[in-house]
Amino acid sequence: MDFLKSAVASIAKGPAFPYSFGDRVDLDQSVWTLHNGTRREDGAKCSIFSFDVNVNRNRLPLAKNALRKLRTLRHPGVVKVLDTVETDQLIYIATERLTPLAWSIKRRALSEESLKWGLHNVAKTLKFINDEACSVHGNIRASSIYTSESGEWKIGGLDILSSMKEDDVIIFSQGSLVPDIGRYSPPEVARNGWESVRKGPTHAVDAYQYGILISEVFSGGFSGTDQIGSTKNIPLAMQANYKRLTHAVPKMRLSVAHFLEQGSRSGGFFVTPLIQLTSGIDNLGLKSETEKDAFLSELEAVADSDDFPEDFFKVKVLPELLKSVEFGGGGPKSFALVMRIATKLSEDEYDSQMVPVIVRLFSSPDRAMRVCLLDNLPLMIDHLSQKIVTDKIFPQMVTGFGDLAPIVREQTVKAVLVIVPKLSDRIINGELLRHLAKTANDEQPGIRTNTTICLGKMARNLGAGSRAKVLSAAFSRSLRDPFMHARNAALMALAATADVFSEDDCATKMLPAICPSLVDKEKVIRDQANKTLNIYLERVRKFGQTLPDTVLPPPSAGSSAPGTRISTPQPVIGNTQWMGWAISSFKIGGATGEIQPNSNGVKPTPLERAAGSPSANGGPSRPSARPATSASVVPQVASGLRHSAPSPPEPETEDFGNDDAGWGDLDDEQEDHSIANAWANDLSTPDVSRPSTASHASKPSTASNSTTYDDGGEPDFEGWLNAQAAAKLASKRPLPKGLAAAKKVTPAPAPARKAAGGLKAVVPQAAAKAKEDEDDGWGDAWG
């Protein structure tokens, strides 16, 4: 019962028609009503011609004739039918999406080039109707011509189209029912009716009406019979043949086929670039390589011209070129032209027509096609979603980094700047940087240079945590590149990314790396190095102005605890400068008690008297000091050790490419702090229980016991300092394996020991020597 109800309801609603009606389109001089429509299945655009039998019952034979002819007459120049429905109440004809030509004619929106192209299409279709189909159209005018989505002119209005071979010819009996047909009828029909068509040539009526169409399209409309035969607004080359089309005598009229032939001759009015290109695009796949190259060159010359219909290139040319690229061996030249035409597509059209083809082409092993794709990537990247780029484009693209052809590697590096905004941070800071680390060491200098430029421009896309490390390593290596342009690119990249580095990095890493370029052999490099250096210096200077004058705490007025104090060395002339600075660093008032003479008759040493050792109080005598093992081993410690800095490394051995390279377990900065802390503790509470190994490094120790002397109670601080230095050096960890031993230092007189640099003078020099032998591959820093 439910099935019966649904069947009755569907019949009541009308016939099953899988298309939806849209807006109505104004259509003059026709028995049909035109609507824009869409196909319900997929939303494809279409046009729907509808005829209401109840309203136009007297013209029903015209509608049925048009329906029959549209079903049976198949030609590219005739309106394409998708589906039809016919009932007792109505007739529906679904066709390709169409626009009445009269709209454009009235607005004069078409160029002369486009008008000739349209008239050429109509002439070819009429030739087919008159000659091959042996038929008469009988209703040729602007209101019977439609433009497709590609801009091509299509013939409609087949209401009285009749074959002269049929017995029942509708044009003889129903020709006068066509709206406003009298103005377009030839003189013989106007005098004798449509029966006169039987006596004349088959082409006579259509040739005359085609002549009126020529006048109508060039003049912007048709006012009446007075306009027929007038050559006003008609191109000069076409005027003579136009007059023969509109001749009053049917047998003297030029047929449309002959008109087409005259215009297609060398130098004829139908020999135009657009007509030639549209004729060649249909058989592009059948052309030889030479013919194809010639055709593509002509097509490329007119692709951007305003005289050519944009819709034709989008709808007609583009699909044919895509077929040629994918299956017909069109190659890069065809694809380059495809990309120029694709800029005129909407987003939906691009997604449906271009994106699937682009994804398939990136998987092609053809190197020429890959280079063409990378060259045109800027034109297509905005139309590609991030998901498509990440999942389908980038995995295919990275194969070019390791390709054997240098041109592929170079174009891949250049394309990184285009594609990087569509990539995720994980890919940029992982896989992409690993590939760029390899191209930075490429054997081709141009690829190395482009890699440096690429890193400079994509600096803001790198991760904030590793950005400075990656760029400093890459640019420092490029500054040492033997290729002049690579060095220049590194300097320019450093200038552009100065804000990426911290002020400490600018001062300690980048400025030392830039300085060697100031004396480069090439003037271009020297000039750019000065510009870049000024940028970094200006930034460091501004930062320096924001720093405090000192980080030391203010002195405490009420402090009386023993310990070290910081005081500024005073300029002392002569040999007393070193001792004066050392003594000023101690608070001697912390010692208490009186110095007692030795009970066994042996005078205590100066340190025993200062510290109150057991021997000074009558206890057992302290063993005499051992002789120094080697005077060269005990470094002479300068009095300002706590405030001294390690010697700067040599520029040529500084490795900016590997921040992690070092001395294994030895850390200079930690060593400085440990030494300074140890010295602060020792200077506060000197330990006299440890024997002094040497009192003066300038005197060789050959005797087992050094001769004591009475110095009047003055402590021997110089000897004590040297003993402490020897003890510190003996307790230090051994240098790394392979490090050359420090050369023996000849003891210098006391005034020269201040410039000797002390203990820390040995380590940085050895460290610089070790770093000079290291491999400074900056690829490890990309982690």
Side-chain angles (χ1 to χ4, degrees):
M1 190 65 181
D2 293 336
F3 172 77
L4 182 59
K5 288 181 180 180
S6 61
V8 172
S10 63
I11 294 174
K13 291 180 181 179
F17 191 60
Y19 296 87
S20 300
F21 284 80
D23 299 333
R24 180 172 177 175
V25 179
D26 293 334
L27 188 62
D28 298 332
Q29 303 173 350
S30 177
V31 301
W32 298 91
T33 301
L34 180 62
H35 292 80
N36 289 329
T38 55
R39 186 161 51 194
R40 294 194 186 99
E41 181 181 359
D42 55 4
K45 296 179 180 179
C46 67
S47 292
I48 302 174
F49 291 87
S50 63
F51 181 83
D52 191 340
V53 176
N54 296 327
V55 175
N56 294 306
R57 189 171 292 276
N58 60 329
R59 290 173 175 167
L60 180 59
L62 302 181
K64 289 187 174 183
N65 183 72
L67 176 62
R68 183 168 61 91
K69 293 299 182 181
L70 285 172
R71 286 173 173 173
T72 57
L73 188 63
R74 298 292 183 177
H75 188 272
V78 178
V79 171
K80 181 181 179 181
V81 177
L82 303 177
D83 199 358
T84 62
V85 170
E86 181 180 5
T87 67
D88 295 338
Q89 304 296 325
L90 52 84
I91 298 176
Y92 291 156
I93 302 176
T95 67
E96 59 183 319
R97 177 60 66 89
L98 300 171
T99 303
L101 176 63
W103 289 8
S104 301
I105 297 301
K106 292 177 181 179
R107 297 195 309 266
R108 293 178 177 269
L110 300 178
S111 64
E112 181 178 320
E113 188 80 12
S114 297
L115 292 175
K116 289 182 178 180
W117 173 52
L119 290 171
H120 181 265
N121 288 339
V122 173
K124 291 193 299 182
T125 307
L126 285 177
K127 176 186 176 183
F128 169 78
I129 292 174
N130 295 154
D131 295 348
E132 278 78 3
C134 298
S135 301
V136 177
H137 187 283
N139 190 25
I140 295 297
R141 47 183 168 175
S143 60
S144 298
I145 308 298
Y146 301 89
T147 57
S148 66
E149 289 185 300
S150 63
E152 297 174 283
W153 290 13
K154 300 295 185 72
I155 292 180
L158 309 184
D159 303 339
I160 57 174
L161 189 145
S162 304
S163 174
M164 295 296 102
K165 297 180 179 180
E166 295 178 354
D167 297 334
D168 185 12
V169 179
I170 192 174
I171 193 173
F172 299 153
S173 59
Q174 306 291 335
S176 58
L177 296 178
V178 178
D180 202 19
I181 193 63
R183 290 198 305 154
Y184 298 92
S185 299
E188 65 274 14
V189 173
R191 292 192 304 264
N192 304 318
W194 289 94
E195 284 288 342
S196 60
V197 176
R198 194 190 301 271
K199 301 176 183 178
T202 305
H203 66 267
V205 175
D206 291 340
Y208 187 86
Q209 291 178 341
Y210 182 74
I212 296 177
L213 177 65
I214 293 175
S215 177
E216 189 173 6
V217 298
F218 282 112
S219 302
F222 180 63
S223 57
T225 56
D226 295 339
Q227 186 176 331
I228 302 174
S230 174
T231 58
K232 184 180 180 180
N233 299 322
I234 297 177
L236 181 62
M238 193 181 290
Q239 290 178 3
N241 290 284
Y242 160 73
K243 289 182 179 181
R244 295 179 61 187
L245 285 172
T246 57
H247 200 282
V249 180
K251 293 183 179 180
M252 298 295 295
R253 288 177 196 148
L254 184 68
S255 68
V256 177
H258 284 89
F259 181 83
L260 179 63
E261 182 182 353
Q262 292 292 328
S264 301
R265 290 181 178 179
S266 179
F269 46 83
F270 280 153
V271 180
T272 64
L274 179 57
I275 293 175
Q276 291 178 335
L277 293 175
T278 54
S279 300
I281 194 66
D282 294 330
N283 56 356
L284 179 61
L286 302 177
K287 294 181 181 295
S288 63
E289 290 298 327
T290 304
E291 294 174 339
K292 187 179 297 183
D293 289 342
F295 172 77
L296 292 176
S297 299
E298 296 175 359
L299 188 60
E300 188 175 7
V302 301
D304 297 329
S305 176
D306 295 334
D307 294 335
F308 298 92
E310 181 178 300
D311 293 337
F312 175 76
F313 284 96
K314 290 165 51 177
V315 180
K316 189 72 174 179
V317 177
L318 184 60
E320 294 295 330
L321 289 177
L322 289 176
K323 292 178 184 177
S324 176
V325 170
E326 278 200 273
F327 312 112
K333 191 172 184 179
S334 297
F335 186 78
L337 186 57
V338 164
M339 296 309 303
R340 290 175 59 183
I341 299 175
T343 56
K344 305 173 183 179
L345 298 176
S346 64
E347 286 298 325
D348 293 338
E349 292 171 340
Y350 203 100
D351 291 341
S352 61
Q353 297 185 52
M354 293 297 302
V355 173
V357 178
I358 291 172
V359 172
R360 289 195 295 267
L361 289 178
F362 261 103
S363 61
S364 172
D366 186 4
R367 286 195 176 101
M369 179 57 65
R370 172 61 64 86
V371 172
C372 184
L373 285 168
L374 297 175
D375 285 340
N376 289 277
L377 193 58
L379 298 177
M380 66 179 79
I381 191 64
D382 292 335
H383 302 281
L384 301 176
S385 65
Q386 184 174 2
K387 180 176 177 57
I388 290 178
V389 172
T390 303
D391 297 342
K392 298 181 180 180
I393 302 297
F394 183 74
Q396 299 294 336
M397 175 181 163
V398 295
T399 60
F401 286 111
D403 195 87
L404 296 178
I407 183 64
V408 177
R409 300 199 302 272
E410 183 172 6
Q411 291 303 122
T412 305
V413 171
K414 291 180 180 179
V416 168
L417 292 177
V418 181
I419 202 173
V420 73
K422 299 278 187 176
L423 299 177
S424 64
D425 293 340
R426 180 182 59 83
I427 294 178
I428 293 175
N429 296 284
E431 184 177 1
L432 180 58
L433 286 186
R434 287 196 296 271
H435 289 295
L436 291 178
K438 296 177 182 178
T439 57
N441 295 323
D442 197 275
E443 60 182 6
Q444 297 293 325
I447 298 177
R448 299 196 303 268
T449 303
N450 284 320
T451 302
T452 302
I453 296 172
C454 177
L455 285 171
K457 291 186 176 182
M458 63 177 284
R460 274 70 185 177
N461 298 99
L462 299 178
S466 61
R467 181 188 303 158
K469 182 179 181 181
V470 169
L471 296 181
S472 63
F475 295 159
S476 298
R477 162 160 291 200
S478 297
L479 288 173
R480 301 190 296 268
D481 197 295
F483 189 51
M484 179 191 72
H485 298 289
R487 301 196 301 275
N488 193 42
L491 290 170
M492 296 177 70
L494 282 170
T497 59
D499 58 326
V500 170
F501 304 101
S502 65
E503 287 78 4
D504 290 340
D505 287 342
C506 291
T508 60
K509 294 182 180 180
M510 307 324 300
L511 284 176
I514 295 171
C515 286
S517 299
L518 297 173
V519 292
D520 195 275
K521 296 181 180 179
E522 300 292 337
K523 186 177 183 300
V524 176
I525 305 300
R526 295 195 299 271
D527 293 344
Q528 185 60 45
N530 278 285
K531 295 177 182 178
T532 305
L533 185 72
N534 290 335
I535 294 174
Y536 280 83
L537 282 176
E538 183 65 23
R539 187 175 176 202
V540 172
R541 286 175 183 142
K542 288 182 178 179
F543 178 71
Q545 294 175 358
T546 64
L547 298 177
D549 294 339
T550 181
V551 296
L552 298 176
S556 177
S559 176
S560 60
T564 60
R565 60 184 178 89
I566 304 300
S567 59
T568 304
Q570 302 296 327
V572 179
I573 307 300
N575 296 335
T576 60
Q577 180 177 7
W578 186 87
M579 285 302 297
W581 168 232
I583 294 173
S584 67
S585 298
F586 295 87
K587 189 173 181 66
I588 304 178
T592 59
E594 295 180 357
I595 300 177
Q596 302 293 331
N598 195 348
S599 62
N600 55 8
V602 181
K603 292 184 178 181
T605 63
L607 289 180
E608 289 173 342
R609 294 195 299 268
S613 62
S615 61
N617 296 323
S621 176
R622 176 177 58 86
S624 60
R626 296 179 185 178
T629 57
S630 176
S632 61
V633 175
V634 182
Q636 302 301 316
V637 181
S639 60
L641 179 63
R642 293 181 62 193
H643 303 283
S644 63
S647 301
E650 300 179 9
E652 62 270 12
T653 61
E654 184 69 19
D655 186 1
F656 298 97
N658 193 347
D659 293 339
D660 297 331
W663 289 74
D665 295 333
L666 184 61
D667 189 305
D668 291 341
E669 185 176 355
Q670 295 178 359
E671 192 70 19
D672 290 340
H673 290 296
S674 61
I675 292 176
N677 293 333
W679 275 96
N681 296 330
D682 290 340
L683 291 177
S684 300
T685 56
D687 183 8
V688 296
S689 63
R690 290 176 296 181
S692 174
T693 57
S695 60
H696 296 283
S698 59
K699 300 171 63 178
S701 299
T702 56
S704 61
N705 295 318
S706 56
T707 305
T708 60
Y709 60 92
D710 188 1
D711 54 3
E714 181 68 20
D716 185 8
F717 288 104
E718 181 181 359
W720 185 84
L721 289 173
N722 290 332
Q724 294 296 318
K728 289 292 180 182
L729 185 62
S731 62
K732 283 180 62 66
R733 290 171 294 178
L735 293 178
K737 184 178 180 180
L739 184 64
K743 295 181 180 180
K744 292 185 178 181
V745 180
T746 303
R753 284 198 296 269
K754 176 183 178 183
L759 180 62
K760 289 295 289 179
V762 179
V763 177
Q765 293 177 1
K769 180 63 178 177
K771 280 180 173 262
E772 184 178 7
D773 297 332
E774 287 183 356
D775 180 16
D776 60 348
W778 66 271
D780 296 337
W782 296 80

